[in-house]
Every structure is written in structure tokens, then in C-alpha cells.
Amino acid sequence: MNIAFISYWSCPLTPLGVLTAGGMNVYELNLANSLDKSGHKVDIFTRTHKQKDEISISVHKDVRVIHLPSLNNDDHYLAAQSFFNRMLEFIEKNSLSYQVIHAHYFFSGLVGIKLKKSLRIPMVQTFHTLGIMKKLYGKVIDEKRIKAEKEIIKKADGIIAATALEVKDLLKHYSAKKDKIFEISPGVDHRVFKKLNIKTSRTKLHLPLNKKIILFVGRIDPIKGINLLIEAVSILSKKYPSFENNFYVLLIGGDINSRKFWLDREVRKISQLILDKKLECCVKFIGSRPHYLLPYYYSAANVMVMPSVYESFGLVVLESMACGSAIVASKVGGLAYLVKDNFNGRLFKSNNVMSLSTILWELLNDKKQRESLGRMAEKSSQKFCWAKQALKIVKVYNKLI
Ligand code: UDP
């Protein structure tokens, strides 16, 4: 089967954890590579983002990323319209033929509903995040986006939801038709994400062997709740004076070498909080890290914290589960789906800094608990395997063709 992915918002080849590049990119590449392994061909259409971008780049045997120029316009709704025209032109000019379109994120969905009409083929949508959830949890109000999502939901042939909760949200907040929705979670590449020795990992990463390490990994975005982690750590360093000299909080994500990063509103807010709480000694932005290095970081940390105010799935948590980390996550969205409190990790009530600090302290001082939660996390992660999830998605494609 030939499949056209639309990835208008972000190119899967850009460095992860920087600006808009995150879970969606990892999802697209892993799904495309798994589809390739089961004999399908995938073209991922995205916008040209560098001056000298090659138009077509092979990333796997039968997976290509195709860069198409788009309107250099701040109005993404207009630019998505022009991207649709470019995509159609490219497909016709190169006599390409696809059986199905799979759009990722709502801007791609807007392109997809036009393309499906022109090519007369079915279209599958994965939202990755939903505007209404961002409004409810992140207080980001974008009515135009929500309206666009509703239109996509009406016109798409199939919608892939990552969790039962996302299915519920689509039904409740978007009045989606139940028979269009397929619950298929993402997976994790267990060949990359596996438990490594803590000392070996710290030595490789030049991290001290004698400190407690608390880790955060992700895009630096208000939705990730990094401020909650800083506040929680500040409580601990005030309450337990010995703590201050004995821990590091490593914040992975963002391009720390660019001026733009330090001018970003969220980065400035977090940096100020670190200064106010006098935590410059121990809380560090260390920038984004290549995907293949993350298993070392997950294994080097004593505790991995995901304090998001909302998370539709949370690949970082799944990856660190696969590495046997002791995880503390907020009880929201996909995080509450992946982590069962006191079984394979710990959950704290979203936004509750006191609860986060209490759990952190408990875990940092209880090696046995960390190890047993980590073991169960590793076990629980086994059912999330890309090869299996990709087959479920192929079934959806076949059903709609
Ligand atoms: N990631 C990475 N390097 C970084 C930061 C993030 O490789 O420096 C990857 C991470 O491994 C994960 C993805 O980016 O696969 C983030 O996905 P998640 O679902 O946690 O968050 P999202 O970006 O979708 O909000």
C-alpha cells in the first residue's frame, strides 16, 4: 500500500525537543518505518524549512520525507491552503498514487480533507493534541483551531485516538461519530529504549556519581508544567538543607545555543523562577539531546518527572518506562493511562506542588521503591510495541479503502 502522511506543522527530521518538534515527529517516523517493514511505502509531506533542503530525502527503504515550499506567511490557515496546492501539483507532476492519506495535527488535517476530495481516497487523522483540551487544561484559547478540528472530524474517514480518554474527549467535546474512531496508542522502540546500568550511563554522560539526579525531558512549553517541578524542588531544599548540595535537576529540551531560546517567554519565566528560588546551582537547562542518547539519561536519573498540566499521551514517559525509570507524573491525560500509582510509577494531582515534593522526597530516599516501580514500568512498557501498533493502523487503512 502507498500511504501519504501529511506533516504540515513540523518536519520529522528536525532536532527533537526544539520548538515544535516532539512526540508527533517520533510517532510519524516510527510508524512510517514500521509500515515500511511490513511492505508498505510512505511519503511524508512537510514544509521546506531550510534554504537548501533537498526536496526528497529517503529515511528508510521505502520511506521518504518530501519537502515542499510553503507560503512564508504567519497565517498558517492560508499557508496550509497553499501547501495543499503544492502537494497536489507534486503528486500529479510525479504521477504518484496513494491509497490512503494520514494527516498529523489539525493543520495537516485541513490539507488532508481537501486532498482526499481531489484524489478520491480515504483520509485518516491523528490529532496528537486537541484544541479543547488545551483550552480546558492549558488555558490556551483558540476557537479557530477548535472549529477547524470539528470540520476535520466531520470529514475525515477515520480518526486514530491514542487512549480511551481521547476517544471520550472526541465524543464528548467534538460530537465525533463513534464508528469513525479507532483507539490505537503509539509504541516505543524497545531496541533503543532499554534499561542501562546507572553508573555506566552517568560515566558516559559525564554526570556525577554522587548526586541524586531528577530528570525532565520535553519541549519547553507551558503545558509541560516545568515550573511545578522547580517549586517542588525549592520546597525540598528549604525543608532539608542537606538536599541542596546533593541533587541536580536536568531539564532536557530546547536549543540552548540559540538566542531565541533564551528570549522565549516560558524559558524566561522558568529561568526567573530558578533565580528567585536560588536554585541556579542545581537546576540546569541542558538543551535538547538526540533521541539515541536519551536511554542513557533515563537510566542515569534517580527519578524522572513529568509534571505536565496536560499530555495527550506522553512518549517521554513511555520511553523512560521502557528504560526502567522511577517515574513521577501528573495525573492527567495519557500520563494517567500509562502510569498506575504505586504500581509502575507515582502520580500526583496535577498542579499540586506539595504532593509532587512529598512524592519526590519519598522516592529519592527509597531505592527499593524506585527499583520495584522501575521493574514494573519496564514490564508495562512491553505491550506498547510499534510493530504491533502499526499493524492495527494498517487494519484501519484497509477497512477504509
Ligand atoms: N525528545 C528527544 N530529545 C529531546 C527532547 C525530546 O528526542 O531533547 C523526544 C522524546 O524522546 C519523545 C518526544 O521528543 O519521543 C517528545 O514526545 P512527548 O509525547 O513526550 O511530548 P510532545 O512533544 O508530544 O508534547
Side-chain angles (χ1 to χ4, degrees):
M1 186 188 317
N2 294 348
I3 306 141
F5 278 13
I6 309 177
S7 185
Y8 169 86
W9 190 236
S10 146
C11 170
L13 300 180
T14 50
L16 292 167
V18 176
L19 300 173
T20 57
M24 182 162 63
N25 306 56
V26 175
Y27 181 111
E28 288 172 18
L29 278 184
N30 275 294
L31 173 59
N33 291 347
S34 305
L35 290 170
D36 176 337
K37 280 192 197 123
S38 45
H40 306 286
K41 290 187 176 180
V42 184
D43 282 341
I44 307 174
F45 288 89
T46 190
R47 287 178 288 160
T48 308
H49 48 97
K50 279 193 234 140
Q51 267 187 346
K52 283 187 185 153
D53 255 347
E54 282 175 59
I55 291 187
S56 165
I57 299 176
S58 284
V59 288
H60 218 255
K61 194 170 114 289
D62 277 323
V63 180
R64 298 188 294 178
V65 170
I66 297 175
H67 291 106
L68 298 179
S70 156
L71 270 188
N72 187 10
N73 196 317
D74 284 343
D75 183 345
H76 285 289
Y77 291 88
L78 266 181
Q81 167 67 40
S82 104
F83 189 79
F84 155 71
N85 295 330
R86 292 284 160 85
M87 226 182 127
L88 194 58
E89 257 167 49
F90 185 88
I91 290 170
E92 284 170 354
K93 198 169 147 206
N94 293 284
S95 311
L96 299 172
S97 122
Y98 300 103
Q99 281 75 54
V100 64
I101 299 163
H102 190 159
H104 298 269
Y105 198 52
F106 79 101
F107 279 121
S108 303
L110 289 176
V111 178
I113 54 175
K114 286 186 189 299
L115 200 68
K116 81 172 221 117
K117 214 168 152 199
S118 305
L119 300 179
R120 294 170 195 238
I121 55 174
M123 175 226 168
V124 173
Q125 172 74 27
T126 302
F127 281 105
H128 298 274
T129 65
L130 286 164
I132 289 189
M133 305 331 286
K134 280 217 151 182
K135 180 173 160 181
L136 290 176
Y137 293 93
K139 301 191 174 50
V140 180
I141 300 171
D142 186 347
E143 295 301 339
K144 196 168 177 185
R145 167 180 176 172
I146 294 168
K147 195 168 158 230
E149 288 171 340
K150 286 186 175 161
E151 190 191 353
I152 297 162
I153 287 166
K154 241 189 225 152
K155 295 185 177 162
D157 301 278
I159 300 159
I160 308 242
T163 62
L165 186 68
E166 192 181 342
V167 175
K168 223 166 115 189
D169 291 335
L170 284 162
L171 296 172
K172 183 174 167 193
H173 300 290
Y174 287 87
S175 313
K177 283 204 176 123
K178 205 172 176 181
D179 58 357
K180 267 195 192 182
I181 310 175
F182 302 87
E183 185 195 327
I184 305 171
S185 70
V188 59
D189 188 343
H190 290 279
R191 288 163 312 173
V192 179
F193 292 98
K194 54 186 172 207
K195 189 173 171 55
L196 303 166
N197 178 279
I198 183 166
K199 278 194 186 140
T200 320
S201 303
R202 287 197 182 188
T203 310
K204 181 176 169 73
L205 301 170
H206 308 291
L207 293 173
L209 296 176
N210 60 345
K211 300 232 179 197
K212 291 277 190 324
I213 294 181
I214 300 166
L215 180 70
F216 164 86
V217 178
R219 293 174 298 104
I220 311 301
D221 186 292
I223 205 89
K224 299 288 176 184
I226 301 169
N227 57 315
L228 303 170
L229 172 58
I230 317 277
E231 299 267 9
V233 165
S234 159
I235 293 176
L236 295 184
S237 67
K238 280 197 192 112
K239 203 163 162 189
Y240 308 102
S242 64
F243 183 58
E244 194 164 295
N245 300 320
N246 288 315
F247 80 98
Y248 268 141
V249 175
L250 303 182
L251 305 173
I252 293 187
D255 178 7
I256 55 167
N257 296 319
S258 82
R259 217 171 93 82
K260 213 171 155 193
F261 174 82
W262 296 105
L263 293 174
D264 176 81
R265 206 161 153 223
E266 180 65 7
V267 173
R268 281 190 1 225
K269 211 173 106 191
I270 297 168
S271 303
Q272 191 57 50
L273 188 62
I274 296 172
L275 283 176
D276 292 347
K277 301 287 179 191
K278 301 193 173 42
L279 288 170
E280 312 91 284
C281 55
C282 355
V283 183
K284 312 256 179 231
F285 278 110
I286 62 168
S288 73
R289 287 292 185 266
H291 210 49
Y292 72 89
L293 273 185
L294 288 183
Y296 293 98
Y297 281 97
Y298 293 136
S299 305
N302 297 95
V303 182
M304 151 65 207
V305 183
M306 207 62 219
S308 313
V309 290
Y310 186 70
E311 199 72 57
S312 56
F313 188 73
L315 278 177
V316 158
V317 162
L318 179 55
E319 291 161 2
S320 63
M321 284 170 76
C323 295
S325 308
I327 297 164
V328 187
S330 52
K331 196 175 174 187
V332 287
L335 302 181
Y337 166 86
L338 288 165
V339 177
K340 300 289 165 256
D341 194 26
N342 276 313
F343 172 68
N344 56 4
R346 297 290 304 269
L347 291 173
F348 73 97
K349 196 166 171 271
S350 174
N351 277 308
N352 189 328
V353 173
M354 273 321 280
S355 157
L356 173 57
S357 72
T358 309
I359 294 174
L360 253 179
W361 185 247
E362 215 180 286
L363 265 187
L364 286 170
N365 290 294
D366 188 345
K367 190 171 180 215
K368 249 190 175 164
Q369 189 183 161
R370 292 200 305 269
E371 284 174 352
S372 94
L373 292 174
R375 259 195 311 276
M376 293 319 290
E378 202 181 342
K379 245 189 188 165
S380 320
S381 79
Q382 295 304 318
K383 71 173 192 214
F384 299 93
C385 153
W386 262 120
K388 275 194 244 160
Q389 303 313 84
L391 288 181
K392 291 182 198 164
I393 292 180
V394 170
K395 264 195 188 161
V396 173
Y397 296 159
N398 275 323
K399 190 172 176 208
L400 301 175
I401 291 173

